[in-house]
Amino acid sequence: MSDVPTVVRGACHHDCPDTCAWEVTVREGVAVNLRGDPSHPFTDGQLCPKVNPFLDRVYHPDRLLRPLRRTGPKGEGRFEPIGWDAAIAEIAERIGTAVSQRGGETVLPYSLDGTQGLVQKGVLADRFFAALGATQLNRHICGVTAWHGAADVLGMPLGADPTEIASARTIVLWGTNTLLTNRHLWPYVEEAHRNGASVIVVDPVSTMTARRSDWHVQPRPGTDVALVLGIIGVLDRDDLIDPERLSATTSGWPELRAEARALGLDGATSITGIESADIVSLAHRIAHHQPAVLRALIGMEHREHGQDIHRAVAALAAVSGSGYMRSTQVYFDTALADIVPPPGPQRVVNMSALGEVLTDPDLEPPVTVLMNYGCNPAAITPDQNRVVAGLERDDLFTVVIEQFMTDTARYADIVLPTTTQIEHLDLMNAWGHLYVSLNLPAIEPLGECMPNTEIFRRLASALSLDASGLADSDEQIARDLLASGHPWLDGITYERLQRDGWARLAVPPGWSALEEREVPLPPSSDGGGLGIARKRQLGPMRLGALQYRPATESANGSAELAERYPLALMSLKQHQRFLNSHYGGFEHHLPDPPQPQLEIRPHFTTPSSRWSLPRAHGKQPMAHRRSLQRR
């Protein structure tokens, strides 16, 4: 084996808008260094504090390297090694018996975004479960509320090229801690700021992004809809809306205007706690300093009526003409699509209801086989006690595909060791920029680990499943995804990605959901071949009536409940190096002190913060603006 180091290109697999391109240096079969790819136009050679020491995770002594069979009670975590052939045979036998007795819907796949790679996350797994006729899983635990809120207005939750933010004159970061959770967008925000743009953060919490902004607007938790109605009311009152443009591009403006007028500026102030003068100033800033960009992530969906909040922010963008940007997977959902025909009608369950599904005595057929991969439901799924009660069922056969012994893996009957990102091939999407990357395996799998795809190929063979695509290699899956015929994939081939590592989607420069109301879709499958390319006409942006609905346990929702439950929980990312099950067991990634921190305020009365920016500050890095004078 040569001792000359080689460099292999890839990209991060985490559920993050940035999908950073990286390079792995390998010497004598061992990965010795991982760094950001400096040639990538968006992520620009920078990895986050979580991922910089990723090789420590790959080579961690607690890594699962052999298949395991449970030997003790569920939850105790007692296992013995088992060979791959025996493990696959036992799983196939249990699945085959369960399906023959109760039908395919007795099998439930349970997965999410342990990897966001299109190949390892699920293309082949989806084909496998479709061939079984298994229960389908709605992966609606995160992101879908925001998705639907934006789609209610835009038809699809489309955005724009995020680099366009650099040319904005007003940037409104609404419910997003961009500096921490979307760090590679921040240089474009700084570029705009150097050119004179104002950076405004709308967030109930004083995040690191808010502290670095020009103006932190701090509404009471969950009152964003009232703030939007207040802003729209000011735009309407002060003739800052173009009626001809609204008539041509939207529907439902009269109904939305009536709601804004009914609430009024005083009503918005009373609900949000934001002074009326600040609401007026914010509305005028958005209207007079165009282009204005509204950037939102998913933080706002973590509230009751979160869909209303995302709908409201999208409506504000439509009304004001702002270059609205919501980070979604839309570019890839519509472009990189599996051409294998979808399954027929099957039972569908919401992943958030796993505890209910596993413990429902009347469910027919009951779930008797649980296949878990890319997710840790015992730790992250709501109604945790009921989830655990379901996992403890003696008649539930649970298979967990994992890298470490997670909370869920401790309840498994069989645990199968899977590869990490530097040990397998994958095609990486991004939900925060317009680049697709090819992740090449840098090292051979450690121990007896296998990629998710190989595990499902072996199970399909053991079960003698006869369906299209179940034997496809990882490379073939990636090639097929790139060859789906979508116009945004023009010129992007496997060979090109193999050579360059990444490529920008062929999205026209300046493309924006607010202006382009026609979306290309991949060609439909017609009996194994590809049909002609399709387009979806989104039509006018839908406004319509919009009302502020207080949260049930808030002071505006129920005085009695608010008396019993006076606090509003704001769950935010607190530490740069910590990320759920991926890094919770690593001392280096824990906060100091290594316990979760809770900040409690009995009354939320903090007004918004307005800052006066001397002109000179427009030329200085935002990191150094510590001498601002409050007015």
Side-chain angles (χ1 to χ4, degrees):
M1 182 179 297
S2 172
D3 61 355
V4 177
T6 59
V7 176
V8 182
R9 278 176 158 169
C12 182
H13 57 291
H14 287 319
D15 183 6
C16 166
D18 291 6
T19 309
C20 301
W22 69 30
E23 295 177 338
V24 184
T25 301
V26 181
R27 180 178 283 111
E28 296 184 347
V30 177
V32 296
N33 187 52
L34 181 145
R35 68 165 191 164
D37 184 347
S39 69
H40 194 279
F42 189 81
T43 60
D44 193 29
Q46 300 295 317
L47 299 178
C48 72
K50 298 183 300 294
V51 176
N52 275 319
F54 180 71
L55 296 185
D56 293 345
R57 176 179 173 83
V58 174
Y59 292 107
H60 196 280
D62 292 340
R63 175 114 181 254
L64 298 175
L65 300 178
R66 300 181 64 183
L68 301 173
R69 178 195 283 130
R70 181 172 58 86
T71 60
K74 291 188 175 184
E76 286 192 359
R78 286 195 279 146
F79 295 87
E80 65 180 3
I82 181 176
W84 268 108
D85 289 345
I88 293 295
E90 183 172 339
I91 296 169
E93 190 277 329
R94 294 293 295 269
I95 290 177
T97 299
V99 171
S100 66
Q101 293 176 348
R102 301 178 181 272
E105 291 178 340
T106 195
V107 178
L108 175 64
Y110 199 92
S111 67
L112 194 59
D113 286 330
T115 175
Q116 286 211 138
L118 295 171
V119 178
Q120 301 300 332
K121 178 181 176 179
V123 168
L124 201 140
D126 290 345
R127 296 174 184 175
F128 173 82
F129 291 112
L132 281 177
T135 293
Q136 295 183 57
L137 187 72
N138 270 351
R139 294 169 174 86
H140 287 182
I141 203 168
C142 180
V144 71
T145 299
W147 197 102
H148 282 292
D152 285 345
V153 175
L154 302 174
M156 292 182 71
L158 300 169
D161 184 344
T163 63
E164 296 290 323
I165 203 170
S167 61
R169 295 186 63 202
T170 302
I171 299 170
V172 182
L173 303 174
W174 201 305
T176 168
N177 189 1
T178 305
L179 188 58
L180 183 60
T181 63
N182 194 185
R183 60 191 296 119
H184 293 91
L185 182 67
W186 191 251
Y188 296 96
V189 175
E190 288 189 314
E191 180 181 347
H193 186 266
R194 287 193 297 270
N195 294 329
S198 293
V199 180
I200 302 166
V201 168
V202 180
D203 199 313
V205 179
S206 179
T207 64
M208 66 169 59
T209 304
R211 292 189 292 271
R212 295 271 290 272
S213 69
D214 299 327
W215 183 7
H216 179 198
V217 179
Q218 202 167 4
R220 295 188 179 109
T223 63
D224 304 70
V225 172
L227 178 56
V228 167
L229 289 172
I231 294 170
I232 290 175
V234 172
L235 296 174
D236 175 44
R237 183 197 69 182
D238 297 347
D239 294 325
L240 299 175
I241 296 174
D242 181 353
E244 291 186 4
R245 182 184 61 80
L246 278 186
S247 177
T249 62
T250 70
S251 64
W253 165 239
E255 293 83 356
L256 178 59
R257 178 174 55 186
E259 296 287 0
R261 290 179 174 179
L263 180 66
L265 189 56
D266 290 342
T269 294
S270 175
I271 293 170
T272 64
I274 305 298
E275 295 177 6
S276 59
D278 286 339
I279 297 177
V280 172
S281 294
L282 181 54
H284 279 252
R285 178 74 208 187
I286 292 172
H288 289 303
H289 297 268
Q290 293 277 339
V293 170
L294 274 67
R295 173 75 168 192
L297 287 180
I298 63 174
M300 298 179 297
E301 75 168 11
H302 300 159
R303 311 229 58 77
E304 189 174 359
H305 311 308
Q307 184 169 333
D308 289 351
I309 297 175
H310 281 274
R311 179 183 164 220
V313 175
L316 174 59
V319 168
S320 66
S322 304
Y324 180 72
M325 296 197 305
R326 238 206 102 251
S327 289
T328 71
Q329 299 179 25
V330 64
Y331 303 112
F332 297 90
D333 284 347
T334 58
L336 289 159
D338 187 8
I339 64 172
V340 173
Q346 290 161 355
R347 179 173 66 185
V348 180
V349 302
N350 190 315
M351 71 180 304
S352 296
L354 178 64
E356 177 184 345
V357 169
L358 292 182
T359 59
D360 183 356
D362 299 321
L363 186 67
E364 187 56 41
V367 172
T368 60
V369 177
L370 179 69
M371 295 283 293
N372 172 239
Y373 55 100
C375 191
N376 185 11
I380 65 98
T381 305
D383 200 359
Q384 184 185 49
N385 291 337
R386 194 144 52 153
V387 171
V388 170
L391 292 173
E392 289 177 335
R393 279 174 37 201
D394 290 332
D395 64 331
L396 177 68
F397 180 69
T398 301
V399 178
V400 173
I401 302 172
E402 257 298 350
Q403 297 165 355
F404 288 83
M405 186 56 67
T406 62
D407 304 81
T408 307
R410 295 174 65 87
Y411 291 90
D413 295 282
I414 299 288
V415 179
L416 302 178
T418 190
T419 46
T420 65
Q421 185 72 348
I422 70 168
E423 298 165 275
H424 56 229
L425 184 145
D426 217 333
L427 187 64
M428 304 307 301
N429 61 349
W431 53 278
H433 59 73
L434 292 175
Y435 292 86
V436 59
S437 299
L438 180 65
N439 182 79
L440 294 172
I443 61 173
E444 291 295 318
L446 269 62
E448 299 177 24
C449 294
M450 288 186 187
N452 290 354
T453 46
E454 180 60 21
I455 293 172
F456 285 109
R457 275 190 286 266
R458 294 193 180 197
L459 286 173
S461 176
L463 285 161
S464 300
L465 296 180
D466 183 18
S468 177
L470 287 177
D472 287 355
S473 68
D474 292 358
E475 180 178 325
Q476 187 61 53
I477 293 171
R479 287 181 178 275
D480 288 344
L481 288 168
L482 293 169
S484 68
H486 196 288
W488 287 352
L489 292 171
D490 284 351
I492 302 178
T493 64
Y494 186 87
E495 286 75 19
R496 177 183 170 188
L497 293 179
Q498 197 173 29
R499 181 191 70 228
D500 299 336
W502 45 265
R504 186 187 186 277
L505 290 176
V507 176
W511 193 96
S512 169
L514 287 174
E515 300 169 2
E516 304 292 337
R517 307 303 295 156
E518 183 178 86
V519 182
L521 300 174
S524 58
S525 177
D526 52 0
L530 287 177
I532 61 173
R534 300 170 292 152
K535 294 182 179 180
R536 176 177 174 182
Q537 301 293 335
L538 298 179
M541 290 175 282
R542 302 185 293 267
L543 301 177
L546 176 67
Q547 293 182 336
Y548 163 68
R549 294 189 292 165
T552 304
E553 296 180 1
S554 69
N556 293 330
S558 168
E560 180 182 354
L561 286 175
E563 181 69 23
R564 294 173 58 194
Y565 309 109
L567 299 178
L569 177 64
M570 303 295 296
S571 57
L572 68 155
K573 187 175 180 62
Q574 293 181 320
H575 195 263
Q576 297 185 43
R577 296 193 302 269
F578 181 73
L579 182 68
N580 54 54
S581 300
H582 276 283
Y583 301 104
F586 296 79
E587 183 176 353
H588 171 74
H589 289 276
L590 297 178
D592 184 21
Q595 290 85 27
Q597 299 182 24
L598 178 65
E599 179 180 331
I600 299 178
R601 292 189 181 186
H603 300 288
F604 194 90
T605 57
T606 304
S608 61
S609 301
R610 298 185 62 207
W611 301 99
S612 175
L613 279 178
R615 292 189 180 208
H617 287 305
K619 300 296 184 181
Q620 297 179 8
M622 298 181 72
H624 301 304
R625 290 184 292 104
R626 298 302 186 199
S627 60
L628 306 184
Q629 300 298 312
R630 190 170 182 175
R631 71 181 181 191

